[in-house]
Amino acid sequence: MSAPAARRVEPVAEVPISVTVNARAVEAVVPARQLLADFLRDDLRLTGTHVGCEQGICGACTINLDGEPVRSCIMLAAQVDGSSITTVEGLASEGLSPLQQAFKDNHGLQCGFCTPGFLMTLATVDPDEYPGTDGIREAISGNLCRCTGYGGILQAVRTAWNRVEDG
Amino acid sequence: MADAFVLGSRPVYTGTHVTRRQDDALLSGRGAYVADLRRDDMAEIAVVRSTVAHGRIAAIRTAEAAAVAGVIAVITAADLTDVSPYPNFASAYTQTPGTFPLAQDKVRYVGSPVAVVLAENRYIAEDAAELVEVDYEELPAVTSLEDALDPDSPRLFEHWPNNRLLDLQPDDSEAAAILAGNRVLRRRYKMGRHTAMPMETRACMAEVRDGRLHLWCTNQHAHIARTTLSYVLPMAERDIRVVIPYVGGGFGLKQHLYPEDVVASWLALRHGRPVRFVEDRAEHMIAAAHARDHMVDIEAAIADDGRILAMRVQVVQDLGSAEIFPGAWCPALTTAAHMTGPYDIGHCAVSVAAVATNKTPGGSYRGFGVPEAVFALERFIDEIAAEVGVDRLDLRRSMLLQSEDLPYKTASGALLDSGSFAESFEKVVELGEAAHRRAAAQHGTDQQSRVGVGYAVLFEGVSPTHHGASAHWAGHESCSIEVLPDGGVRVASGVTDQGQGTTTFVATLAADALGVPIETVEVELADSDSTPYGLGAFGSRQAVIGGGALLLAAGEVRDKVKRIAAHMLEATEDDLVIEAGRVHVAGSPEPAVTMAAIATRAVIRTMDLPPGMAPGLEATARYEPELMEHVPDERGRINASASYANAAHAAVIRVDLGTGEIEILDYILAHDCGRVINPPIVDGQIWGGIAQGVGGALYEDLRFNDLGQPQTAFMDYLMPSALEMPEVVIKHFESPSPNTPLGMKGVGEGGTVGPAAAIGNALAHALAEFNPQIRETPLSPAVVRAMIPDRGAAT
């Protein structure tokens, strides 16, 4: 058995993009195949966006694109031309946001690798649409955490959302 | 424990919720993990991995890949002429895989690294890696432990007599004699193959500065990694620096020094450029350590009332290809050491085999052999109760160790010096029965489901020797403490932090042991250049052993602080207290001298020190627990851990008879890790441990087909999300060990080791009318559905 038949690597095309990242205007020329996560991390040095699976499953790379949570690992940088992006670095102008503070106060993180993804998912959520602790579970069900068992995260969100513990 | 291990006169942080020092950075995206490190001239690698499970390498063609623009080098094992195989220090009782960083001659699992492309960036490296052609002469694959035990199975290593890396048969004549004269029950239990799956994959970056190799990596041990690199590269240890920055979860998987760490280092040395490797998740599924995959055969002599009189056990661990360092057989030994559980079972003889198969190498994972033992034994006890017709709770009560039985030496040699085995069990029974009644009341009329409650009670060795895994390192930890002239404190220790909160406990204990504000304590971990040699993170050891070293060093510093202060205050040392960075006579806050004044005198104005006192205000200490044993006796008995935590688990579940799906309604855990340093961190360890245990019990499954091809992609590897993870009720017991610093015991694994057993027993309870055989994990819906008559055929 042998490896797949050899083929030459094609030259990559480049695409100019104009995008707002954390309220800052960015003009760039990116390889057409460059992942959005790599553009943010490698070109803009916004390494708070973490890549956990490159398959859109784990949620660690979640950012906000025009107010919606998206997986930056399965989007191309070329797709965000004309858009506005917020990453975890843009969540608070200084210090910690109330949600970030609640994560700290309630031990809502351990290794911290998945944490930016949770924060960026929650940043777009209307709490009224996710009542109770079951609602919080639903809201964060697209983000995987391997350290906390979610207990600290649920408590952090209950605190941030002024929700009496109902679990 | 000796008075050497004490906090200062007025501890204010220990036992409270000190928030973690890294959290501001981690929450705002400023925590730099290895993949976040970059250098302007950095190159990256991509690994060409074996596509066959077992085969001879006939040819590797790299020229086309090497010609791609941006490719710097393409290397194979043949290029690593100056590299040594990983050592095997256990050759007296194991076969030697002779693991080499890149495959030589043969591949033994899909994912085995065969060639490496070094390029300007990962995109180019991956493009070129696809152009590397490897010809294999395929060989029949060994894909299960049953096949590997067959003496006629194809051999992975031609120089071994069979596929058994380890085969220990202790004298079992005592147990055999008891079995011969009593009713005997036999059962076989298996725990499936799963893995730690940290959210951060493996990564490393190697850089050469002034002739020295600097390696930033996701390992759990800065010093063991440095030493291992020095053996393999080989290279003088003084010329290597290993740094472990923020790590996105380790759970044991990152204990191993992987081939990519070696190859990246070699390439950085050879090419003079920083070299980074960041594993992608698809690689992680096949190339990072797998775990579990055990079979446990129990034969037990049973009394009329069901009590176990003696056990003869065979543990078999499927190692995968065994090409990993440190070697991966130790979980099987750990299973053996936990087979009696916290029960008074006087005779237990365990034979252990660890076999090589054509699958990803097994390695370390939280729990490390204990979940396998707990699942087998606790299921077995429920099966005995059903067989003999006694109550499963009463059967446990009749065998559980009571406080008056302690200290107790198990048949495997573990010294249980303290614990709350019976008390923790009764607590979860009380809460578990109540939760079950609630569940039955709520769902009892539902003909499509059944509810059940199951229990598991266990002890787990924590803070163990490293010797079982490496046959080289033992069990010590280190700490250096220096008070700077302004009174600030620098603490450097060999322990490491993968997110557990190690940094915070070090600061907490140091502040309390020295009597200084925690804000004035700087903690330095996981840099082999600036920390004393230590063994780092494994086996829930860091608070116990690292804490012990810290308290010893702090005690030396504290004594000297008091001697200097006594001189300055013209008081007696024994009358002094240190609090909030000031030293004064107990009961009179003034006059006082500050830590800054004392330290200034100790290292600057040394002419003002008491006559004859040496300058300096610092100490380095190492701690190795006296009772920890590293080598078993002639009958295989060993007290391999410095302490033993205990826990009792209860799971209340609802089983859907149509789908076979298990819903966890309540999960209750009573845990005893002795003295608690930081309650939320302890609870976080327990919650996270349970989540990983639940995943292994119900969902997570790494499957291979008969060709040895992996069948589980990340998408199919079902880790619990917030929807699957139940609320957990945690009850704490504190039985301080008389033999550990502050009575501490490790907490990292107690949540992980019980869920398979508790859920398995809950399932047996829920489906009792069908008399199900619950002897394997994971208990996936398909497996459960097959236990239900008239519905099992449905697909």
Side-chain angles (χ1 to χ4, degrees), chain A residues 1 6-7 33 35 38 41-42 45 50 52 54 100 104-105 107 110-113 137 146-150, chain B residues 20 24 27 33 35-36 38 64 123 127 130-131 136 195-196 280-281 680 684 688 700 720 722 725 727:
Chain A
M1 182 170 171
R7 55 182 173 69
R33 66 175 181 171
L35 296 175
D38 290 342
R41 292 172 44 78
D42 294 340
R45 305 283 166 100
H50 298 148
E54 299 180 84
Q100 288 168 313
K104 179 177 178 178
D105 293 342
H107 194 34
Q110 290 184 28
C111 81
F113 195 83
R137 291 178 182 277
R146 198 58 162 166
C147 293
T148 65
Y150 306 100
Chain B
R20 305 193 321 159
D24 286 1
L27 284 161
Y33 301 80
D36 303 336
R38 49 179 44 78
E64 202 173 350
Y123 284 74
D127 285 341
E130 287 191 14
L131 302 177
Y136 298 101
T195 181
D280 69 29
R281 187 59 69 178
E700 299 172 28
M725 187 59 193
E727 291 287 329

Side-chain angles (χ1 to χ4, degrees), chain A residues 16 38 42 46 48 74 92 102 117 142 156 158 160:
Chain A
D38 290 342
D42 294 340
L46 294 170
I74 49 171
R158 284 191 287 250

Side-chain angles (χ1 to χ4, degrees), chain B residues 351-366:
Chain B
S351 59
V352 178
V355 297
T357 62
N358 292 110
K359 299 189 285 194
T360 301
S364 303
Y365 177 29
R366 193 180 205 172

Side-chain angles (χ1 to χ4, degrees), chain B residues 265-284:
Chain B
S265 298
W266 188 90
L267 286 166
L269 289 161
R270 180 61 60 105
H271 291 276
R273 291 181 61 172
V275 174
R276 189 174 75 174
F277 167 68
V278 180
E279 181 186 53
D280 69 29
R281 187 59 69 178
E283 294 180 283
H284 187 87

Side-chain angles (χ1 to χ4, degrees), chain A residues 1-9 33-35 38 41-42 45 47-55 57-58 60 88-89 91 95-96 100-101 103-107 109-116 119 133-134 136-138 140-141 143-152 154 158 165 167, chain B residues 17 19-20 23-24 26-29 31 33 35-36 38 40 51-52 64 67-68 123-124 127 130-136 138 195-201 247-249 251 276 280-282 365-366 498-499 680-681 684-685 687-688 691-692 700 714-715 717 719-723 725-727:
Chain A
M1 182 170 171
S2 61
R7 55 182 173 69
R8 279 289 167 200
V9 179
R33 66 175 181 171
Q34 187 179 36
L35 296 175
D38 290 342
R41 292 172 44 78
D42 294 340
R45 305 283 166 100
T47 55
T49 298
H50 298 148
V51 179
C53 71
E54 299 180 84
Q55 304 170 37
I57 295 167
C58 79
V88 68
E89 290 92 343
L91 269 185
L96 299 177
Q100 288 168 313
Q101 187 66 43
F103 267 67
K104 179 177 178 178
D105 293 342
N106 292 281
H107 194 34
L109 68 158
Q110 290 184 28
C111 81
F113 195 83
C114 71
T115 310
L119 294 171
T133 292
D134 283 348
I136 300 171
R137 291 178 182 277
E138 182 70 35
I140 61 174
S141 62
N143 290 77
L144 293 173
C145 170
R146 198 58 162 166
C147 293
T148 65
Y150 306 100
L154 294 172
R158 284 191 287 250
E165 184 165 355
Chain B
H17 179 201
T19 55
R20 305 193 321 159
D23 284 0
D24 286 1
L26 293 174
L27 284 161
S28 48
Y33 301 80
D36 303 336
R38 49 179 44 78
D40 288 342
T51 55
V52 306
E64 202 173 350
V68 171
Y123 284 74
I124 297 169
D127 285 341
E130 287 191 14
L131 302 177
V132 173
E133 292 181 22
V134 186
D135 295 343
Y136 298 101
E138 281 197 68
T195 181
M197 202 67 74
M199 297 315 300
E200 178 207 34
T201 56
V247 173
F251 313 116
R276 189 174 75 174
D280 69 29
R281 187 59 69 178
Y365 177 29
R366 193 180 205 172
Q498 290 77 42
I681 286 181
Q685 286 292 313
W687 271 84
Q692 288 186 312
E700 299 172 28
F714 185 64
M715 191 174 194
Y717 192 77
M719 294 185 284
S721 78
L723 291 176
M725 187 59 193
E727 291 287 329

Side-chain angles (χ1 to χ4, degrees), chain B residues 619-635:
Chain B
T620 295
R622 291 171 200 279
Y623 172 56
E624 185 150 59
E626 297 158 26
L627 299 176
M628 177 197 289
E629 296 169 350
H630 308 287
V631 179
D633 69 12
E634 73 287 351
R635 293 174 62 187

